[in-house]
Amino acid sequence: MTSEYNAAQRLLHKVKQSVSDFELGKYNDELVIKGAIAQDLQTLGKRIPEYRIIGRQESNERKRTLMLDRASTMTDEHEQLKRRFEKLKQRKTEQATYEENRQELFQRGNAGGSGRAPMDTAINMDTAGEDGFWGRSEQALDGYITQGLASLDNLREQRGLLEGAHRRILNADSTLGLSRSVITYINRRTTQDKIFLVAGMFATTICIYFIVHYFG
């Protein structure tokens, strides 16, 4: 049981690290890392249900509860990683499309201005510094936007994990509330049984008294 859980945890940690590397651009080939992450997510999606089945077959109630809780936690993390990976792929595709369009427009601008008079060349030289400034500013803004989106994805992932934990706490509270109701009902029945017992003893004593008094 522990070996299956440890194997799933190692794979989960590997996927988290790979997704973080993919987000930060720490890879040599985008297609390779995307394929590796997709394969690991698929494998993890199979191992978690297998671990849950083993947990349901556990005879010890405490261990069974622990294993099922672990399976639920891993399921939430797996779903969060899948959503985060899909968002990252979409964002990188949009960024690549944006860069291609901008490069195409830049090339068209250079091609259109290649036949102009020497005065245009002088004007371009005068404005080269300004263009460089705006280019650097645009790159900095792109970096800030990318960091902001990454932070937003992390916050959404943490929110999903907290919601999953909240659901499990509510389920546990419902179970405890049912237990308290049963205990209250048992205590009430115990009190009623005591009253019936005392009343029965009292009635029996009176009956014995009259029997002895009249027939004794």
Side-chain angles (χ1 to χ4, degrees):
M1 294 178 292
T2 304
S3 60
E4 287 83 358
Y5 174 72
N6 291 336
Q9 281 292 305
R10 286 194 298 268
L11 183 57
L12 185 62
H13 178 73
K14 178 184 176 183
V15 175
K16 288 181 179 179
Q17 185 62 48
S18 299
V19 172
S20 297
D21 292 341
F22 180 64
E23 181 178 7
L24 298 176
K26 296 181 179 180
Y27 52 83
N28 296 324
D29 192 325
E30 182 175 345
L31 293 178
V32 172
I33 191 172
K34 285 167 64 176
I37 293 174
Q39 182 64 37
D40 289 340
L41 284 172
Q42 184 177 4
T43 303
L44 185 62
K46 295 178 180 179
R47 288 189 178 180
I48 295 175
E50 293 174 354
Y51 180 73
R52 179 179 285 107
I53 292 174
I54 296 175
R56 289 173 179 171
Q57 295 174 350
E58 174 60 46
S59 57
N60 186 288
E61 183 178 359
R62 185 181 64 83
K63 292 182 179 180
R64 181 171 62 254
T65 302
L66 176 62
M67 294 177 68
L68 293 179
D69 288 343
R70 286 177 172 178
S72 299
T73 301
M74 289 191 295
T75 299
D76 292 340
E77 293 180 350
H78 177 246
E79 292 297 327
Q80 291 294 326
L81 284 172
K82 285 174 58 179
R83 288 193 291 267
R84 180 182 174 189
F85 180 53
E86 292 299 325
K87 290 178 181 179
L88 287 174
K89 288 196 300 182
Q90 181 180 359
R91 188 201 309 167
K92 287 185 177 294
T93 300
E94 293 174 352
Q95 288 178 347
T97 303
Y98 169 76
E99 292 295 335
E100 291 176 359
N101 293 336
R102 186 172 65 173
Q103 186 67 23
E104 183 179 356
L105 290 174
F106 180 75
Q107 292 175 354
R108 288 181 179 179
N110 288 340
S114 59
R116 293 179 181 176
M119 183 178 296
D120 293 336
T121 303
I123 294 175
N124 289 335
M125 292 178 62
D126 292 337
T127 59
E130 183 179 356
D131 291 341
F133 168 77
W134 288 112
R136 290 190 298 271
S137 300
E138 184 177 0
Q139 292 178 356
L141 288 175
D142 289 341
Y144 293 144
I145 292 173
T146 301
Q147 293 177 1
L149 291 174
S151 300
L152 181 60
D153 288 339
N154 290 331
L155 290 174
R156 289 175 178 171
E157 180 180 355
Q158 294 176 7
R159 177 185 177 185
L161 292 175
L162 290 175
E163 288 178 351
H166 184 248
R167 286 195 301 270
R168 290 193 294 274
I169 291 174
L170 290 178
N171 292 334
D173 184 66
S174 299
T175 303
L176 292 175
L178 180 60
S179 300
R180 287 194 294 267
S181 299
V182 173
I183 293 173
T184 303
Y185 176 74
I186 292 174
N187 291 333
R188 188 182 301 117
R189 285 298 305 271
T190 302
T191 303
Q192 292 175 355
D193 291 342
K194 289 181 179 179
I195 294 173
F196 290 143
L197 177 61
V198 172
M201 292 174 62
F202 181 74
T204 303
T205 302
I206 294 176
C207 291
I208 293 175
Y209 171 78
F210 282 112
I211 292 172
V212 173
H213 180 74
Y214 289 104
F215 298 99

